[in-house]
Amino acid sequence: MVSASGLHDIDLTTKIGSLTLAYPTLMGSGCYGSGEEFAPFVDLAKIGAVVLKSVTRHPRLGNPTPRLVHTPAGMLNAIGLQNPGIEWYLEHDVAKFAGRPCTIVGSVAGFSVDDYAYVCELLGQRSEIAAIELNISCPNVASEGETFACDPRLTGKVVRAAREVTDKTLIVKLSPNVTDIASIAREAQSAGADALAVINTVRGMAIDVETWRPRLGNVTGGLSGPAIRPIAVLAVYEVARAVTIPIIGQGGIETTSDALEFFLAGASAVSIGTANFTDPRVPVRIVEELRAYLAQRNLRSLSSIVGRANVGFANAQQYEGDEG
Amino acid sequence: MVSASGLHDIDLTTKIGSLTLAYPTLMGSGCYGSGEEFAPFVDLAKIGAVVLKSVTRHPRLGNPTPRLVHTPAGMLNAIGLQNPGIEWYLEHDVAKFAGRPCTIVGSVAGFSVDDYAYVCELLGQRSEIAAIELNISCPNVASEGETFACDPRLTGKVVRAAREVTDKTLIVKLSPNVTDIASIAREAQSAGADALAVINTVRGMAIDVETWRPRLGNVTGGLSGPAIRPIAVLAVYEVARAVTIPIIGQGGIETTSDALEFFLAGASAVSIGTANFTDPRVPVRIVEELRAYLAQRNLRSLSSIVGRANVGFANAQQYEGDEG
Amino acid sequence: MSTTASPCGTFDATILDRRELAANVVLIGFDAPALVAVTRPGQYVMAVPPSGEVASTALGIYEAQGTRGSLLFFVVGKRTTELAGLRPGDGLSLTGPLGNGFDLSSNPRDVAIVAGGVGIASVLLPAQALLAAGARVRLFYGARNRELLVERERFEREGCEVILATDDGSAGHRGYITQALERAEPPELILACGPTPMLRAVASVAETLGVRAQLSLEETFACGVGGCWGCVVPLIGTSAQAPNFPPLERGGSDVVYARICKEGPVFWAHELRW
Amino acid sequence: MSTTASPCGTFDATILDRRELAANVVLIGFDAPALVAVTRPGQYVMAVPPSGEVASTALGIYEAQGTRGSLLFFVVGKRTTELAGLRPGDGLSLTGPLGNGFDLSSNPRDVAIVAGGVGIASVLLPAQALLAAGARVRLFYGARNRELLVERERFEREGCEVILATDDGSAGHRGYITQALERAEPPELILACGPTPMLRAVASVAETLGVRAQLSLEETFACGVGGCWGCVVPLIGTSAQAPNFPPLERGGSDVVYARICKEGPVFWAHELRW
Ligand SMILES: Cc1cc2nc3c(=O)[nH]c(=O)nc-3n(C[C@H](O)[C@H](O)[C@H](O)COP(=O)(O)OP(=O)(O)OC[C@H]3O[C@@H](n4cnc5c(N)ncnc54)[C@H](O)[C@@H]3O)c2cc1C
Ligand SMILES: Cc1cc2nc3c(=O)[nH]c(=O)nc-3n(C[C@H](O)[C@H](O)[C@H](O)COP(=O)(O)OP(=O)(O)OC[C@H]3O[C@@H](n4cnc5c(N)ncnc54)[C@H](O)[C@@H]3O)c2cc1C
Ligand SMILES: Cc1cc2nc3c(=O)[nH]c(=O)nc-3n(C[C@H](O)[C@H](O)[C@H](O)COP(=O)(O)O)c2cc1C
Ligand SMILES: Cc1cc2nc3c(=O)[nH]c(=O)nc-3n(C[C@H](O)[C@H](O)[C@H](O)COP(=O)(O)O)c2cc1C
Ligand code: FES
Ligand code: FES
């Protein structure tokens, strides 16, 4: 048993491409605005990284309101990538992190391969930015629900284009709204991704039965929160078996136990999104509790549990199912 | 306003292929066993139809335990299609409904086109069975998560084969675990489906962080309950825009308000699954409350609200989002 | 609106008292000295329902005196149902004070406060501040029925002139409170809080009367601190209340979305692009 | 096991009393005459947690006398937390009585009842029935510590000989209660309820002793009435307790899954294919 005083000897660092995160919990894109809004409530230096709200080449107004609906154990959002465009973003939202003791990941969204490459190149030149996340999976902007992350060929194309313009650690964020997430993951890896963020929100819809109108201005939205956790754990588990690059797990994480499910399924780090709306200290609390969990089991590093879910039949003595 | 005494003039019947359902609420497959188990708690004659547990050509033991896990606002199951095989099923589970005043839908699962056709043909000959549902979307049996419902070509093949062997109303049950459910729906319709059941469970996984084992004997399972309702409402909405045949909506329905979301999205009837585990009277209660809802709005038939969700921007005066 | 950032944080408050003001209308007093000390009129908190299983919810700060603050709310759904179950002695996590609050810096002498339904929860503090500064304060207060006109005597006792309206005529004018406002002697400034249709009506009455109005808006919140951009309202693009954002051109008009939780909840009516 | 169907249904019970027997161990008494009247030893109910937002949960019927029944449960998760919040006067929806219950038809004269932890909740009724029929009843009762050996005096008062064991030795034998069973004078019949590892040990002790044992099994339930096939246990294929199902051949052995909620929760140890 590691003594209490030895808690801080436990290695929680995680390598994501060329970047080493001091802590394995991130603040998920779009749930922390420009990174500044939560500073009064939590010490950003104690978080693995803050992933900024996704930025596009040109400014975007985003979707009409309402943009949020609460649903059982979750919420739907359809923000529609409201953002000031890369130019203003570099000048204001990025510049303000110069010299600050926290790790900032830029998130890039776009509507064409060129857009992605353009924004990645500009972001990649900035020292304030430790890594770039490619959001190719926002469910709230494309007309037919089709996004880059729904097509292996498009995924490969956009990742290659980004890879060409930057040496920064490149994280590709995948969508759960696909038949086979593993094939997309493989494509992203072979196109040069350093890591994968799994998963973005699940597409959904809610209707107001009094007015007969969709409860979101954008009609459809993305489901997040505990409701989607089982979907996200499975996605991480499947992606982990398909690729060799690290995975940043996310989707409904509220507690240390939730985060552990993702580590055991194969994630090297986790992102917290919706849970921060209730308590922004969640990412810091999970770090502390992870230390205790590992210490109790005499484990000295987080990496020793990554992907260790034992998928032998839960009850080995028992008769197995008879499918093929 | 329809007077209270006029409540029973309201037309709740729904035509599904050649079958007319007296009530628009069904009991979902797998959530009512052989139809008999809930008889002490609810009058089956007051339910649109009871969809029996899926049956296969040969008996199946199903998956090892545990087969159920509770998750936030839902549950995962991995029963693995335990069933006695079509022979025993016809002799016992089907035969017992002879002459009883309730509408019974048989549900067929399989591992090859031939299996489906074989079982459909036998079921189709039985007068106790009012319609056949093709479960081509069970997430708990195939090795790589691939099911017939994940591939438009396979969907077409299996539906055509079933269509050839029976004149009974044919309902095809779709999976949400696909990139584009509308394309699968179109394929099912053109292959001869009379109606579509939307949706089966969403694939998911949960891990026990004490034992590091999956919480299901089958490792992965299907998520049901309120957690998936927004996913199901959207699936119905998208399928309704792709086909002209009726849709039986399902996924997380607990209340009349939930059911109304599905009707407004485009479902002609709804199935109740997980909610019956808490209260098997839900399908009957919804029927009563639907009458009141329609009466209050001076509507004389359920069909007048099917697919009527108004998808104009929720706030028309407002500035629209700027995506393409 | 007012731009000075107030020191906000997350506080573990203790419930002091609880009253039911009407069916499904609850007032809970809490002890949270650091929060109460810095609260300005029109600010709100994000309250975490006790089970921690549902999202936190935005509630106006009704009273703030000494170390005691209070929340006045309608029980309408899961979260408010959970909050209504709180009893004296229970703990409650509150993040705040949040938002800009009403701007009383012009030192107005004659103010009309318009409250619809639960909007009453956000207007006691500005009324008290204005009265303390010697202003005349008229409260135009509307609700569905007499029962729901909670706390009206309280406002009278504080020194407001109270004008009432109910949908069913069970108290005051029968009809909308904005009809009463329209017919009254024009004030120097209007402050309003209530359902969106009422606020739209207030904006149009204010324009007709040529009086400036501050509206406290409502929308579904997720974060409450400006982090998710879920709670926006369109402003005219040149608005002084716009967040840091390059004005966008579209359809010849100039608009920008501001966050109600962060740049608001209080906006000048004439800057809203409604 | 016993096959007569009992008349079961869904009942709106009223909470009569509530006691905390230890930290996170709660006993609630309820009034539900029709349910209590037909309850047999070893049966259970499905209880709907008050919010109606989480699934219903299986709980053994602890007491059943006159019109009063009771539930004795450990607070371990969401649903039991909600149930623990019930107070006298509150309503509670109960479906039952469900399951087969213990088979006492052989009129055994010397019975060992083995209860582990919360298993105690399902063995008072069989103990009472056996004692009333003049049998000798020894209760072998194990728990983590002395504190958690709730209701042990109750069983003594009823007339049981009580043998205790705790993991930490704070009462009775230090170690497993099955070790005490192993060393005791062999009974004519064993009835057991508790965690699965304990039940496995009971089955093996019973085999060694050559005594027949009935085990009340536990598993996650969804429906509780046999409708979902979620709660199965493998039996030997020729089991008399097997549901209507053609025996399947696999790997040369013969197995069938029975539903714990419907064919059980009580099974003969020698028919389980563990
Ligand atoms: C800045 C600000 C300050 C506020 N201050 C106060 C205050 O002081 N007091 C106060 O009472 N409120 C206040 N509110 C409103 C308050 O936040 C909401 O009433 C509260 O969040 C509702 O939460 P809930 O979970 O109880 O209800 P929800 O379940 O979120 O429901 C909210 C509303 O939506 C409706 N609704 C829910 N589900 C559906 C559905 N399926 N179909 C149609 N309609 C549905 C409900 O009927 C209800 O009217 C404030 C809001 C803001 C933004
Ligand atoms: C026939 C039958 C009779 C029963 N009778 C009784 C009785 O009389 N009294 C009684 O107390 N119980 C009884 N039980 C057990 C009881 O049904 C369960 O304890 C109850 O359903 C738990 O529900 P919950 O929501 O409170 O806990 P859940 O949240 O469902 O948790 C149940 C267990 O799982 C563990 N768990 C939950 N989530 C996780 C996670 N993420 N990772 C790891 N572990 C986790 C919890 O610690 C707990 O031990 C009976 C069960 C059956 C089948
Ligand atoms: C309000 C909101 C806005 C979001 N915006 C973005 C975004 O701009 N870019 C992005 O990659 N993901 C965005 N996401 C997705 C989250 O980063 C996260 O992947 C997802 O919500 C699942 O995690 P959670 O359940 O912990 O929230 C957003 C999520 C929410 C709830
Ligand atoms: C325990 C369980 C077993 C199920 N078994 C089947 C099945 O055999 N065949 C089938 O088509 N669907 C099966 N389903 C899916 C349901 O019929 C339904 O489509 C799904 O659960 C979504 O609805 P719900 O959220 O109301 O449960 C099963 C669902 C559950 C929870
Ligand atoms: S609620 Fe998140 S930005 Fe306002
Ligand atoms: S819990 Fe459903 S069959 Fe037993």
Side-chain angles (χ1 to χ4, degrees):
Chain A
M1 173 76 75
V2 181
S3 71
S5 65
L7 276 185
H8 285 267
D9 297 344
I10 289 174
D11 182 8
L12 293 181
T13 59
T14 295
K15 241 178 101 67
I16 305 280
S18 58
L19 174 67
T20 300
L21 299 175
Y23 307 105
T25 54
L26 290 78
M27 285 178 151
S29 178
C31 303
Y32 282 94
S34 69
E36 200 60 278
E37 290 82 356
F38 283 86
F41 308 106
V42 61
D43 180 355
L44 300 183
K46 294 229 170 105
I47 290 165
V50 175
V51 186
L52 302 182
K53 173 100 192 123
S54 298
V55 66
T56 53
R57 182 172 191 157
H58 303 294
R60 283 178 55 81
L61 271 180
N63 290 326
T65 60
R67 291 178 172 187
L68 301 172
V69 186
H70 295 282
T71 65
M75 53 179 273
L76 285 168
N77 87 77
I79 310 298
L81 294 176
Q82 169 162 0
N83 81 85
I86 183 63
E87 223 171 288
W88 173 288
Y89 187 79
L90 291 174
E91 253 173 72
H92 299 83
D93 294 332
V94 170
K96 73 175 175 228
F97 285 106
R100 284 185 46 187
C102 54
T103 305
I104 302 296
V105 174
S107 169
V108 178
F111 301 88
S112 71
V113 173
D114 276 1
D115 280 2
Y116 275 103
Y118 178 85
V119 177
C120 281
E121 183 161 12
L122 290 176
L123 260 185
Q125 291 159 1
R126 299 298 291 249
S127 60
E128 299 93 333
I129 296 288
I132 294 178
E133 182 167 286
L134 286 188
N135 174 6
I136 59 170
S137 48
C138 178
N140 298 326
V141 290
S143 41
E144 280 298 288
E146 262 301 333
T147 64
F148 285 87
C150 287
D151 181 333
R153 207 181 45 85
L154 288 177
T155 299
K157 248 178 137 170
V158 71
V159 175
R160 262 188 299 277
R163 180 73 295 168
E164 269 167 30
V165 296
T166 182
D167 292 331
K168 288 254 156 93
T169 292
L170 194 63
I171 304 162
V172 177
K173 187 159 182 180
L174 302 185
S175 166
N177 305 303
V178 297
T179 308
D180 180 16
I181 196 170
S183 66
I184 315 273
R186 275 188 291 263
E187 194 58 49
Q189 164 163 337
S190 64
D194 294 311
L196 300 173
V198 179
I199 56 177
N200 210 318
T201 53
V202 181
R203 295 181 66 232
M205 176 177 185
I207 298 173
D208 185 321
V209 304
E210 297 304 321
T211 63
W212 298 11
R213 280 178 177 157
R215 290 167 70 85
L216 289 173
N218 187 52
V219 181
T220 71
L223 186 63
S224 64
I228 68 167
R229 193 192 312 135
I231 302 172
V233 170
L234 175 56
V236 167
Y237 173 76
E238 293 189 330
V239 169
R241 266 142 199 80
V243 300
T244 54
I245 50 179
I247 296 166
I248 304 170
Q250 58 205 281
I253 299 176
E254 291 187 318
T255 66
T256 304
S257 166
D258 301 342
L260 282 164
E261 286 197 66
F262 285 82
F263 291 124
L264 291 167
S268 299
V270 294
S271 261
I272 320 293
T274 304
N276 300 301
F277 300 155
T278 304
D279 186 352
R281 294 164 300 183
V282 166
V284 176
R285 190 179 313 131
I286 288 179
V287 167
E288 283 156 20
E289 293 177 358
L290 270 182
R291 280 212 179 85
Y293 178 92
L294 293 169
Q296 259 171 29
R297 284 160 185 76
N298 228 344
L299 297 167
R300 303 213 143 257
S301 74
L302 178 64
S303 58
S304 61
I305 71 166
V306 169
R308 292 289 300 281
N310 174 355
V311 299
F313 278 109
N315 184 341
Q317 295 118 292
Q318 194 177 296
Y319 222 78
E320 286 182 18
D322 64 348
E323 67 282 336
Chain B
M1 173 75 78
V2 181
S3 71
S5 64
L7 276 186
H8 286 266
D9 298 343
I10 290 175
D11 183 9
L12 293 180
T13 59
T14 295
K15 241 177 101 71
I16 305 281
S18 59
L19 174 68
T20 300
L21 300 175
Y23 307 104
T25 55
L26 290 78
M27 285 178 152
S29 179
C31 304
Y32 283 94
S34 69
E36 199 60 279
E37 291 81 357
F38 283 86
F41 308 105
V42 61
D43 180 356
L44 301 183
K46 293 231 171 102
I47 290 165
V50 175
V51 186
L52 303 182
K53 171 99 192 123
S54 298
V55 66
T56 53
R57 182 172 190 159
H58 303 294
R60 285 177 55 81
L61 272 179
N63 290 326
T65 59
R67 291 178 171 184
L68 302 171
V69 186
H70 295 282
T71 65
M75 54 178 273
L76 285 168
N77 87 77
I79 311 297
L81 294 176
Q82 168 161 0
N83 81 85
I86 184 64
E87 223 172 290
W88 173 288
Y89 186 80
L90 292 174
E91 254 174 70
H92 299 82
D93 294 332
V94 170
K96 73 175 177 232
F97 284 106
R100 284 184 45 188
C102 53
T103 305
I104 302 296
V105 174
S107 169
V108 177
F111 302 88
S112 71
V113 173
D114 277 359
D115 280 3
Y116 275 103
Y118 179 85
V119 177
C120 282
E121 183 161 11
L122 290 177
L123 261 184
Q125 291 160 1
R126 300 296 293 246
S127 59
E128 298 93 333
I129 296 290
I132 294 178
E133 182 168 286
L134 285 189
N135 174 6
I136 59 171
S137 48
C138 178
N140 299 325
V141 291
S143 41
E144 281 298 288
E146 260 300 333
T147 64
F148 285 86
C150 287
D151 180 333
R153 207 181 44 85
L154 288 177
T155 299
K157 247 177 136 170
V158 70
V159 175
R160 261 187 301 275
R163 180 74 295 168
E164 268 167 30
V165 297
T166 182
D167 291 332
K168 288 252 154 93
T169 292
L170 195 61
I171 304 161
V172 177
K173 188 160 180 179
L174 302 185
S175 167
N177 305 300
V178 296
T179 309
D180 180 15
I181 196 169
S183 66
I184 315 270
R186 274 187 293 262
E187 194 58 48
Q189 164 163 337
S190 65
D194 294 313
L196 300 173
V198 179
I199 56 175
N200 210 318
T201 53
V202 181
R203 295 182 66 232
M205 177 177 185
I207 298 173
D208 185 321
V209 304
E210 298 302 322
T211 64
W212 296 12
R213 281 180 178 156
R215 291 167 70 85
L216 289 172
N218 187 52
V219 181
T220 70
L223 186 63
S224 64
I228 68 166
R229 194 191 314 135
I231 302 172
V233 170
L234 175 56
V236 167
Y237 173 76
E238 292 190 330
V239 168
R241 266 142 200 80
V243 300
T244 54
I245 50 179
I247 296 166
I248 304 170
Q250 58 204 281
I253 299 176
E254 292 187 316
T255 66
T256 304
S257 166
D258 301 342
L260 283 163
E261 286 196 67
F262 285 82
F263 292 123
L264 292 167
S268 299
V270 295
S271 261
I272 320 294
T274 304
N276 299 301
F277 301 155
T278 304
D279 186 352
R281 295 164 299 185
V282 166
V284 176
R285 190 178 314 129
I286 289 178
V287 167
E288 283 156 19
E289 292 176 0
L290 270 180
R291 279 212 180 85
Y293 178 93
L294 294 169
Q296 259 171 30
R297 284 160 184 76
N298 229 343
L299 298 167
R300 304 213 142 255
S301 73
L302 178 64
S303 58
S304 62
I305 71 167
V306 169
R308 292 289 299 280
N310 175 356
V311 299
F313 280 107
N315 185 341
Q317 295 117 292
Q318 195 177 296
Y319 221 78
E320 287 183 18
D322 63 349
E323 67 281 336
Chain C
M1 207 120 295
S2 131
T3 48
T4 5
S6 69
C8 62
T10 298
F11 301 96
D12 293 318
T14 306
I15 304 303
L16 296 173
D17 50 81
R18 175 185 189 282
R19 272 196 301 146
E20 288 191 31
L21 305 177
N24 292 320
V25 186
V26 177
L27 174 67
I28 52 177
F30 59 82
D31 184 70
L35 176 86
V36 172
V38 296
T39 295
R40 294 195 313 262
Q43 288 190 304
Y44 68 96
V45 291
M46 293 298 282
V48 181
S51 76
E53 278 157 33
V54 288
S56 45
T57 192
L59 293 174
I61 303 173
Y62 179 56
E63 298 161 297
Q65 187 143 38
T67 65
R68 178 182 175 278
S70 73
L71 307 173
L72 189 172
F73 57 95
F74 279 46
V75 179
V76 296
K78 285 193 193 180
R79 292 169 294 166
T80 45
T81 301
E82 275 197 29
L83 290 168
L86 287 167
R87 292 292 180 273
D90 289 348
L92 173 63
S93 169
L94 296 175
T95 294
L98 296 167
N100 57 353
F102 292 103
D103 182 355
L104 309 178
S105 62
S106 66
N107 193 22
R109 310 313 307 154
D110 182 2
V111 180
I113 294 182
V114 189
V118 73
I120 198 72
S122 295
V123 298
L124 180 66
L125 294 183
Q128 288 175 330
L130 289 163
L131 291 163
R136 173 191 188 198
V137 180
R138 281 173 288 167
L139 174 71
F140 292 81
Y141 185 12
R144 282 204 305 282
N145 57 47
R146 183 185 187 84
E147 250 267 278
L148 292 176
L149 285 170
V150 296
E151 294 286 278
R152 55 187 188 277
E153 293 90 352
R154 168 73 188 267
F155 281 80
E156 277 166 13
R157 281 200 307 275
E158 297 279 345
C160 296
E161 299 162 39
V162 177
I163 301 98
L164 303 174
T166 51
D167 293 0
D168 64 357
S170 52
H173 297 264
R174 174 193 299 269
Y176 295 131
I177 189 64
T178 45
Q179 296 164 340
L181 175 68
E182 209 164 11
R183 284 183 242 120
E185 184 195 337
E188 184 186 335
L189 174 70
I190 297 172
L191 311 180
C193 185
T196 305
M198 182 199 89
L199 296 179
R200 287 183 194 274
V202 169
S204 104
V205 172
E207 203 183 331
T208 312
L209 299 178
V211 175
R212 295 191 355 142
Q214 299 177 17
L215 311 182
S216 180
L217 304 187
E218 207 189 291
E219 181 56 88
T220 304
F221 282 7
C223 69
V225 300
C228 74
W229 289 90
C231 64
V232 299
V233 60
L235 301 185
I236 56 165
T238 54
S239 165
Q241 306 171 78
N244 290 343
F245 198 88
L248 298 174
E249 291 291 335
R250 186 187 156 97
S253 65
D254 201 9
V255 70
V256 67
Y257 279 119
R259 293 164 294 193
I260 294 176
C261 71
K262 180 91 177 169
E263 281 77 48
V266 183
F267 293 90
W268 286 110
H270 60 274
E271 296 209 322
L272 293 171
R273 203 183 171 293
W274 267 357
Chain D
M1 205 122 294
S2 131
T3 49
T4 6
S6 70
C8 62
T10 299
F11 301 96
D12 292 318
T14 306
I15 305 303
L16 295 173
D17 48 82
R18 175 184 188 282
R19 272 195 303 146
E20 289 192 28
L21 305 178
N24 291 320
V25 186
V26 177
L27 174 67
I28 52 176
F30 58 82
D31 185 70
L35 176 86
V36 172
V38 296
T39 296
R40 294 193 314 261
Q43 288 190 303
Y44 68 97
V45 291
M46 293 298 283
V48 181
S51 76
E53 276 157 33
V54 287
S56 46
T57 192
L59 293 175
I61 303 173
Y62 179 56
E63 297 162 298
Q65 187 143 39
T67 65
R68 178 182 174 278
S70 75
L71 306 173
L72 188 172
F73 56 96
F74 279 45
V75 179
V76 296
K78 284 191 193 180
R79 292 169 295 165
T80 45
T81 301
E82 276 197 28
L83 290 168
L86 288 167
R87 292 292 180 275
D90 289 348
L92 173 63
S93 169
L94 297 175
T95 294
L98 296 167
N100 56 355
F102 291 102
D103 182 355
L104 308 178
S105 61
S106 66
N107 193 24
R109 311 314 307 155
D110 181 2
V111 179
I113 295 182
V114 190
V118 73
I120 199 71
S122 294
V123 297
L124 180 66
L125 294 183
Q128 288 175 329
L130 289 163
L131 290 163
R136 174 190 188 200
V137 180
R138 281 173 288 167
L139 174 70
F140 291 81
Y141 184 13
R144 282 205 305 282
N145 57 47
R146 184 185 186 83
E147 251 267 278
L148 293 176
L149 285 169
V150 297
E151 294 287 277
R152 55 187 189 277
E153 293 90 352
R154 169 73 187 267
F155 281 80
E156 278 164 13
R157 283 200 308 274
E158 296 278 345
C160 296
E161 298 162 40
V162 177
I163 300 97
L164 303 174
T166 50
D167 294 359
D168 63 358
S170 54
H173 297 266
R174 174 194 298 270
Y176 294 131
I177 189 64
T178 45
Q179 297 164 339
L181 175 68
E182 210 164 9
R183 285 184 239 120
E185 184 194 336
E188 183 187 335
L189 175 70
I190 297 172
L191 310 180
C193 187
T196 305
M198 183 199 88
L199 296 179
R200 286 183 196 274
V202 169
S204 104
V205 171
E207 204 183 332
T208 312
L209 298 179
V211 175
R212 297 195 348 146
Q214 298 178 19
L215 311 182
S216 180
L217 305 186
E218 208 189 289
E219 182 55 89
T220 305
F221 282 7
C223 69
V225 300
C228 74
W229 289 89
C231 64
V232 298
V233 61
L235 301 185
I236 57 166
T238 54
S239 166
Q241 306 171 78
N244 290 344
F245 198 86
L248 297 174
E249 293 290 334
R250 187 188 156 96
S253 65
D254 201 10
V255 70
V256 67
Y257 279 119
R259 293 163 294 194
I260 294 177
C261 71
K262 180 91 176 171
E263 281 77 48
V266 182
F267 293 90
W268 286 109
H270 61 273
E271 296 209 324
L272 292 172
R273 202 180 173 295
W274 266 358

